[in-house]
Amino acid sequence: MSPTEPADPSKPGAPHLLPVSRGARAVVHALGGVCVLALVFGLWGAWKVFAPAASVPSTAQWRQAQARIQQLEQRVATLSRSDQISRQANGDLQNALGERDEEISGLRADVAFYERFVGATAQRRGLAVHELKLQPRTDQAWHFTATLTQNLNRGAVNRGRLQLSVEGTREGRLETLDWPRLRQQPNADGMAFSFKYFQQLEGEVVLPPQFKPLRVTARLQPDDGSRVDQSFTWAEATATGPAVAPAAAGGAG
């Protein structure tokens, strides 16, 4: 018999194997399953015992994290408020600087005005209307500012009265409004002035409806001397822009 041939149980000298019943096989399978389950539960228990404790935060860690979040939120709110205050302060500073620039520009214009009329090299001029400005108050009411000057007679006081008249058209016809009509007072007298070098006079005039102004004339009647009339186009008198004369009503009187 060759080594690869299976043993024949019918022949003498062959080993005798007992047959395995089905019940025994079932018991073996059951024992194997129990062993597998025991191994699985053992591994799970070992993982629960030896797993890192940091995987589940403790109550103290949770409270610490909440406190940190509140601190960060408070810091963000504080920084936001600080940024808002800084922006507002910067805006106020820019506005203040703009106002100061305008004030400086006005002061420079005033200095130039003073030098022109009271400086050592100023050109000598008699009584005159240096500037006349009108600003609208309503559709028909206007506020006027007349700047009167003189430096011909230094130290002498100029006294008299100012009146305005306005030329224009209404319903296609030329019309001139005198001082009483502009003031809406039949016996209106002129505005009194008294100064040495300059003075500003302010008042209100009213135009009738549908009247289109073209020219305004300022008339100065001094107590001693000849009358002075100066005319300005309506566009010149109503043009916007910084005043070149000081705002003090009394001037250098």
Side-chain angles (χ1 to χ4, degrees), residues 132-134 213-216 232-240:
L132 179 63
K133 289 295 183 182
L134 291 102
L214 300 176
R215 181 178 298 274
V216 56
F232 305 84
T233 66
W234 190 258
E236 292 172 345
T238 58
T240 58

Side-chain angles (χ1 to χ4, degrees), residues 58-219:
S58 64
T59 302
Q61 290 175 331
W62 182 82
R63 290 178 178 176
Q64 184 178 4
Q66 288 293 106
R68 181 58 177 169
I69 291 174
Q70 291 179 358
Q71 291 177 356
L72 293 176
E73 289 178 346
Q74 182 65 32
R75 185 174 181 182
V76 170
T78 302
L79 291 175
S80 299
R81 179 58 179 168
S82 177
D83 179 68
Q84 181 181 0
I85 294 175
S86 298
R87 290 177 181 271
Q88 182 176 357
N90 184 58
D92 294 341
L93 178 60
Q94 294 297 329
N95 293 335
L97 290 176
E99 292 176 357
R100 295 298 176 270
D101 288 341
E102 292 181 0
E103 184 178 356
I104 291 173
S105 178
L107 291 174
R108 287 175 176 172
D110 292 350
V111 170
F113 176 84
Y114 297 146
E115 291 179 348
R116 186 181 307 134
F117 290 98
V118 300
T121 59
Q123 183 179 358
R124 297 292 185 265
R125 293 183 179 180
L127 182 63
V129 180
H130 177 71
E131 185 179 53
L132 179 63
K133 289 295 183 182
L134 291 102
Q135 296 177 325
R137 289 291 183 261
T138 64
D139 292 341
Q140 296 170 314
W142 291 79
H143 178 84
F144 71 87
T145 302
T147 303
L148 314 182
T149 61
Q150 83 83 30
N151 64 351
L152 184 61
N153 299 320
R154 295 195 173 187
V157 178
N158 292 266
R159 294 185 177 89
R161 293 190 174 273
L162 164 72
Q163 292 185 351
L164 300 182
S165 62
V166 179
E167 303 174 26
T169 61
R170 182 162 55 165
E171 297 179 353
R173 294 181 298 178
L174 293 174
E175 187 173 353
T176 300
L177 305 176
D178 58 10
W179 180 249
R181 293 183 65 185
L182 291 174
R183 299 286 285 182
Q184 295 187 332
Q185 299 174 5
N187 299 321
D189 200 357
M191 299 186 69
F193 62 82
S194 177
F195 65 95
K196 291 182 179 179
Y197 298 110
F198 59 84
Q199 184 180 9
Q200 281 189 336
L201 300 179
E202 298 185 40
E204 306 288 333
V205 294
V206 179
L207 304 181
Q210 300 180 354
F211 182 83
K212 297 180 180 180
L214 300 176
R215 181 178 298 274
V216 56
T217 300
R219 174 173 295 174

Side-chain angles (χ1 to χ4, degrees), residues 1-9 11 14-15:
M1 184 180 64
S2 65
T4 60
E5 283 186 23
D8 188 358
K11 294 181 180 181

